[in-house]
Amino acid sequence: MSDIPLHYQTAYQWTGEAAAGEISIDGSPLLPVGSPHDTGRYSPDHLLVVAAETCLANYVLLLAGLSRIEVKDYSSSAEGELMQEERAGYRFKRIVIRPRLTVVAGNEAQAERVLQKAHKLCLVARSLSCPVEMEPSVEAG
């Protein structure tokens, strides 16, 4: 791993149409961004929710590997709930992530501990002012 502190650089370019823009990140393909109502573009709201969801997945898979738990399958869904604060505008009330982890039979309890630890370690969730909740499911497969 690189030395701390790590730095993350992105670049945004407006396309000249409504709220449409493109994000570039370290030579990765351009990411089309826009408002929550733009079809075919990712909104900052969606990207915030997916950042928390992906962060949890990365920690689960890392910790499972370190714990020598064979992961058969991992998937998740997530949703962010907005609320409106009087005179302040909108903010996220909460984010709920629903990870589904399938492991080799006999490793379910250990997998549940991995999920809980990953949830506590997730950098994105710890950095947000709204609560990030987890509703996990562990299965043997």
Side-chain angles (χ1 to χ4, degrees):
M1 182 175 244
S2 299
D3 291 331
I4 300 296
L6 295 173
H7 297 275
Y8 300 93
Q9 296 180 337
T10 64
Y12 172 88
Q13 178 63 52
W14 179 51
T15 65
E17 298 177 30
E22 295 175 332
I23 298 289
S24 61
I25 303 170
D26 297 330
S28 297
L30 292 176
L31 181 64
V33 294
S35 81
H37 309 290
D38 289 343
T39 304
R41 295 189 169 276
Y42 301 99
S43 74
D45 314 32
H46 286 104
L47 294 173
L48 180 72
V49 174
V50 81
E53 182 179 12
T54 305
C55 183
L56 177 65
N58 287 344
Y59 273 101
V60 168
L61 296 170
L62 171 69
L63 294 173
L66 292 173
S67 301
R68 293 190 166 92
I69 298 173
E70 184 180 346
V71 175
K72 296 291 192 173
D73 189 45
Y74 181 94
S75 63
S76 63
S77 63
E79 65 181 284
E81 182 180 346
L82 288 179
M83 62 185 234
Q84 186 173 15
E85 293 181 326
E86 194 169 323
R87 290 183 262 207
Y90 291 96
R91 68 183 301 270
F92 276 91
K93 180 178 180 180
R94 70 183 187 140
I95 294 173
V96 180
I97 305 170
R98 295 177 184 90
R100 293 174 299 281
L101 182 59
T102 305
V103 296
V104 174
N107 290 324
E108 297 92 340
Q110 191 176 8
E112 287 177 15
R113 287 191 297 274
V114 162
L115 280 161
Q116 294 303 322
K117 187 171 185 178
H119 182 59
K120 289 178 185 170
L121 290 173
C122 177
L123 166 70
V124 173
R126 289 184 301 112
S127 300
L128 295 173
S129 63
C130 72
V132 178
E133 301 166 10
M134 183 178 67
E135 298 174 357
S137 168
V138 176
E139 299 176 4

